[in-house]
Amino acid sequence: PRRARDCRKASLGRMDLATSAVVMAGSLLDSMKASSPRHAMSPTGADQEEWIENHPSALEWFEGVLAAAEGKQIVMFLDYDGTLSPIVEDPDRAVMTEEMREAVRGVAQHFPTAIVSGRCRDKVFNFVKLEELYYAGSHGMDIKGPTKVSNHKADEVLCQPATKFLPVIQKVGV
Ligand SMILES: O=P(O)(O)OC[C@H]1O[C@H](O[C@H]2O[C@H](CO)[C@@H](O)[C@H](O)[C@H]2O)[C@H](O)[C@@H](O)[C@@H]1O
């Protein structure tokens, strides 16, 4: 009975820890939801045609993009996998071409440029290797950069909103 009692106590302790992790994660999720626009459901059929009409390709509507950007500060947010690099079977081999690196370097000379990825920040940086960019890794939980100045004024930032959750994440072991 004592072993059973100890065991129950230990499992209650684990439940407390897991519950506090869920509560903390829940509050983080709530604040993320509050600061993000709702994801639209992917439209299909006629809705999809209407969606495409209302969201033309930037390449086919370049004059419109220029007009909309008039007088505004332009900031570039780029995805990595499947955008700057091809989708490949082994995630460690998703390298970007030198030509693509040059294109991104050119963009960053004119506009503050960030790469936003689900990958951890270091991995994305090791593929891209451009110090003049901002990197938002782990779905925006780890944002840093730039470490090198470019043509335009860019303030260095370090924003790691999930840092306070690290102890509980490490304890729960997720
Ligand atoms: O936010 P992203 O930069 O688009 O990252 C999303 C995920 O990208 C990686 O996975 C994807 O690309 C791999 C390499 O081409 C491919 O093998 C995999 O099937 C794709 O899902 C990355 O491995 C993930 O960690 C990212 O969340």
Side-chain angles (χ1 to χ4, degrees):
R2 189 169 164 208
R3 232 176 114 199
R5 210 173 44 235
D6 289 349
C7 191
R8 207 169 50 235
K9 215 169 136 191
S11 64
L12 281 175
R14 272 201 298 277
M15 273 172 64
D16 280 355
L17 197 59
T19 308
S20 57
V22 169
V23 170
M24 288 172 89
S27 69
L28 177 65
L29 199 60
D30 287 344
S31 64
M32 284 169 70
K33 276 185 191 162
S35 61
S36 303
R38 281 187 175 278
H39 284 285
M41 298 288 285
S42 296
T44 50
D47 285 347
Q48 189 179 35
E49 278 170 33
E50 193 189 328
W51 191 92
I52 290 172
E53 216 166 280
N54 290 327
H55 301 81
S57 155
L59 294 176
E60 286 163 19
W61 196 63
F62 199 61
E63 296 302 318
V65 172
L66 285 183
E70 183 79 39
K72 294 182 187 143
Q73 160 80 73
I74 299 174
V75 179
M76 294 294 291
F77 291 93
L78 302 169
D79 175 45
Y80 184 74
D81 288 279
T83 301
L84 300 182
S85 70
I87 292 290
V88 291
E89 203 161 325
D90 178 359
D92 288 336
R93 289 170 173 255
V95 290
M96 68 192 274
T97 60
E98 197 47 49
E99 191 186 358
M100 182 64 85
R101 185 170 294 101
E102 277 311 306
V104 177
R105 199 196 304 273
V107 168
Q109 278 173 4
H110 298 282
F111 314 112
T113 301
I115 299 188
V116 185
S117 177
R119 290 179 183 260
C120 76
R121 181 167 49 79
D122 289 353
K123 278 209 171 170
V124 185
F125 177 79
N126 286 337
F127 280 128
V128 180
K129 297 190 175 85
L130 292 173
E131 293 179 357
E132 58 271 47
L133 308 187
Y134 294 86
Y135 292 87
S138 301
H139 300 285
M141 289 294 129
D142 185 12
I143 304 170
K144 190 169 182 231
T147 50
K148 182 178 139 189
V149 283
S150 47
N151 286 352
H152 54 84
K153 184 182 177 312
D155 293 331
E156 193 173 337
V157 299
L158 175 65
C159 177
Q160 296 173 317
T163 307
K164 61 184 173 193
F165 297 105
L166 284 179
V168 76
I169 290 170
Q170 274 150 8
K171 270 192 196 154
V172 175
V174 287

